[in-house]
Amino acid sequence: MVLFLFLVVALLVVVGAVTLAVISGGESGALPDAAPERFTDPLPLDRPLRRADVDAVRFPMTLRGYHMDEVDDVLGRLGAELAERDARIAELEAALAGAQATAVAGRTLFEGYEPRGPEEKKGDDQ
């Protein structure tokens, strides 16, 4: 019975101390409200994205995972930049193929072609 009373008194002392600490707030006062996590877009706007930029993206957690609209925005931007990059690569590859064809053909490209003079053009029209 004495042991039981001792445990009850000890429990009351601990509960009282914790209650007093919470109510008084200690030296720092009351705890400030935690700011909700918001997504801050770390992706640069002034240059094309790099692998390190994508690796740096972190989404704040919510009760059921991530904010879908924030993830959709980032994925939309990544998709647009990748499409732009693919189009630019295709354009440059086409220009390179044309330049290579011209370089390979070189002077033989116009062999056998002789421009006609003004007299020859008039005779062809009739």
Side-chain angles (χ1 to χ4, degrees):
M1 180 75 173
V2 174
L3 182 60
F4 177 73
L5 288 176
F6 175 75
L7 290 175
V8 169
V9 170
L11 180 64
L12 290 174
V13 168
V14 169
V15 169
V18 169
T19 304
L20 184 62
V22 169
I23 291 175
S24 68
E27 294 177 15
S28 63
L31 292 176
D33 290 334
E37 282 191 62
R38 290 285 171 215
F39 179 69
T40 54
D41 189 3
L43 300 175
L45 298 173
D46 58 341
R47 63 174 170 78
L49 296 176
R50 291 182 243 175
R51 173 66 189 248
D53 298 328
V54 177
D55 289 341
V57 174
R58 296 289 178 260
F59 296 100
M61 296 294 292
T62 62
L63 185 59
R64 291 197 247 156
Y66 297 105
H67 289 282
M68 288 190 294
D69 56 341
E70 293 172 353
V71 175
D72 289 343
D73 290 345
V74 171
L75 291 178
R77 179 164 175 218
L78 287 173
E81 286 209 19
L82 289 175
E84 182 181 324
R85 186 174 296 171
D86 290 344
R88 181 69 176 146
I89 288 171
E91 177 186 327
L92 292 174
E93 285 176 345
L96 179 62
Q100 287 175 338
T102 303
V104 168
R107 294 182 183 163
T108 62
L109 184 64
F110 296 107
E111 245 178 46
Y113 172 75
E114 294 181 21
R116 295 189 276 173
E119 302 84 30
E120 294 175 13
K121 288 183 184 179
K122 287 181 187 175
D124 289 341
D125 291 339
Q126 294 173 356

